[in-house]
Amino acid sequence: MAAHDSVERKYVYDFAEGNKDLKDLLGGKGANLAEMTNLGLPVPPGFTITTEACKAYLTTGREPDGLAAQIEAHLESLEREMGRRLGDPDDPLLVSVRSGAKFSMPGMMETVLNVGLNDRSVVGLSAQAGRNDRFAWDSYRRLIQMFGKTVCEVPGEEFEHALDEIKRAKGTHNDLDLDADDLRGLVDAYKKIFAKHTGREFPQEPREQLDLAIRAVFDSWNAERAVLYRRQERIPADLGTAVNVVAMVFGNLGPDSGTGVAFTRDPGSGAQGIYGDYLANAQGEDVVAGIRNTVPLQELEQLDKTSYDQLLGIMARLEEHYKDLCDIEFTIERGKLWMLQTRVGKRTAAAAFVIAGQLVDEGLIDLDEALHRVNGAQLAQLMFPRFQLDHEFEAVAKGIGASPGAASGKVVFTSARAVELAAEGEAVILVRRETNPDDLNGMIAAKGILTSRGGKTSHAAVVARGMGKTCVSGADELDVNVPAKRFTVGDHVVNEGDVVSIDGTTGKVYLGEVPVMPSEVVQYFEGELDPETTDDALVRAVHRIMTHADAARRLRVRTNADTGADAARARRFGAEGIGLCRTEHMFLGDRRELVERLILASGEREREDALAALLPLQRADFIEIFREMDGLPVTVRLIDPPLHEFLPPLEQLAVNVAVAQERGEDVAKEEALLAAVRRMHEENPMLGLRGVRLGLVIPGLFAMQVRAIAEAAVAVVRDGGTACPEIMVPLVGAVQELETVRAEAERIIAEVVGDSGVEVLIGTMIEVPRAALTAGQIAEAAEFFSFGTNDLTQMGWGFSRDDVEGAFFWRYLELGIFGISPFESIDTDGVGRLIRIAAEEGRAARPGLKLGVCGEHGGDPDSVHFFHSVGLDYVSCSPFRVPVARLEAGRAAITTTGSDSR
Ligand code: PEP
Ligand code: MG
């Protein structure tokens, strides 16, 4: 098929033919070189081979038909324009061959410079450069080195080694001390290395050099480091790279030449000004290799004022044209300035907000565009505390930065000890080999979590991120010995109680305390920093953009909170209600005993007593939450624990009973408990007696909760407040389950609320696939749906949410079966489809049905966009993620023509 097609297809574009919007086809570098060419800026002439050509090559293993001829034609026109021929012995045109994908992948793919040099043209180059033999031979040895390494996989160290040898023989460390003869000798040595490894001589034919270099750039798309980088940055694997063939200009022709990089604003802080580095008499790779120290760009003014002024003019022009921070690479060849690259520059999270705000002030972009240019991941980063690393601290280990932030505290090795010390007001770091759900309390109590195993999707990482808690995972230099309560790292032994500090962004682990600075953005959300009066540019920018996001968004943002303190914080962070108040934890701690009595009750009387004792406690819980959320909706979910979580572990209980029997003690109570635990033991508790099933099995349990909710609401209203309770039934799979619960609840509510004016909605979670597929029926009995995407993902994929992330997700991620854990970001094709079906069928059955989501995905940026697109009314997420969800809901609601914020 391809033969006919590809002859027709245009694979090569002159710079004059492209523009900045053709990044898909020409890659970022090619598209921007074209844009600059068309702006009339001094760009060396050249052409771009498209990503389409690369993709065709990578799929078939050979260059597509027509490509060679198109390259030939464009090369000829380049030669005409330059008045020189590629590799001409007397006056050679030399070209660089550079990769350039749609998204920048710095240093991940290949570049070959000085293509066109050979044993003859090296002489011509020298003449052309004013009898500069040294320069010509230096250029030639660079070509052999780069070509050998990238095109023919000759080990780079061999070239380095030969260069070191020559320098040693000459008694110098500096490349610049080598003269033309030394470099000619080096070329000979390099050629021998090349021949030894490839079994052939270094190719002398310029066009062969060019073709092989192009092919090497294509191949470098699939180099291991490029694959890893793409996975890390979530860049699709099938984009391919473009190849830019550009006439060489030289920054190493003498002191009136040089090379540099520049930013139009500070990419670290966003501050306005001129930032960059310059290196005289050098080529770009010398800067990267750090052979000599660069000087600040401002010093170019003294060295070459004309070029400096011209460069500043071009930078201003580029900023105005791109309406954004640009980063630039340039070369000066004997006093003439050439632009080698520009792009919208990468920046820190803080700079992204500050710059977006500045550009609005400067009238270059509007607030919609400013909102488009920042994202929730950046905001989340800014909400973590960070270390005040103003003097050097030495890290003793480096793991994976699994959940950002910084934390210092005393080392503990068990969840129980973490809780104990935290209760005494100590900051603690929970150190484990890996965590499991039993560590939850310890994780909540700790300032940070450090594990020696597991990656970004390990239990520790996922849970910590959800909590907004600092976590370093997989620090495998740590040898963690939990029973001995110590870990060792290198020569250090760290015992329980010793202080360590962890940086969840870099993954570094420090011994001792490193001072931590709070996030000013959190201080602003907490109301401690006034955005109108602060001189903190970041806070002002965040405030402005958040205000716009709030005005723009259609989705409401609620929070998942089950304590008054969480509810209060979330409200300060902008939550517009509670989307999920889990009631399970209200049954733990000192109430556990009541629950045991309830579960083990032998008769109606005993059960009723237990429930009667729980009722006032639950009522008080709800009163506290309704008060904090005064006037805002509060969705209270009826209890949904896997039952075993309330009962002692079977093995432990069996041992206790056996020991007590041995001693002849009275164990009647323990035996009853053991029998009950045996009876209720489940192989798959997540699929067992939980949620609505429990409510239907234990008489009076849901009724007690409904009564507590209604009585709490009435109490708040009688006190002059406003309570808007929404009762939510978990784990419903069939409308009949909901109808049964509803009938009883309505009866109780009617009895309790009387004429108080309290209105109580009754709805359901949609978290079992069957519920999604029968949503039309379920909507008849529900005033709202809230998607429980944790369970919906678990049951949609058949993945145990407690086990799989640690067990095998790493492999799935490696194979690209998914790019990110479906527990973190919603699987739009599968689980998302269930949501779409339920939303559509639910609303068809009950127009205006309120729809929300309260699984972890409610605070995930990509998922928020999906929920916006399916028309949900709100998302609900943990308090810390509320601002992120507000921002992303705003971003989802605006449409801009602006560039991708990646
Ligand atoms: C869910 O399943 O998404 C949910 C919110 O409920 P839980 O996480 O408590 O099971
Ligand atoms: Mg659930």
Side-chain angles (χ1 to χ4, degrees), residues 560 580 582 584 637 640 686 690 728 731 765-767 786-792 801 853-857:
N560 295 357
L580 174 64
R582 291 182 169 100
E584 299 79 79
R637 183 180 71 183
D640 173 24
M686 275 297 194
R690 44 177 294 225
M728 179 152 78
L731 228 72
M765 296 198 67
I766 300 289
E767 54 183 347
S786 178
F787 291 97
T789 47
N790 304 331
D791 272 310
L792 203 55
R801 58 197 262 198
V853 59
C854 62
E856 275 305 295
H857 304 83

Side-chain angles (χ1 to χ4, degrees), residues 108-110 218-228 230:
M108 294 299 134
M109 290 182 296
E110 302 298 1
F218 284 160
D219 282 330
S220 69
W221 175 255
N222 281 333
E224 199 180 323
R225 62 183 181 201
V227 173
L228 279 175
R230 286 199 293 273

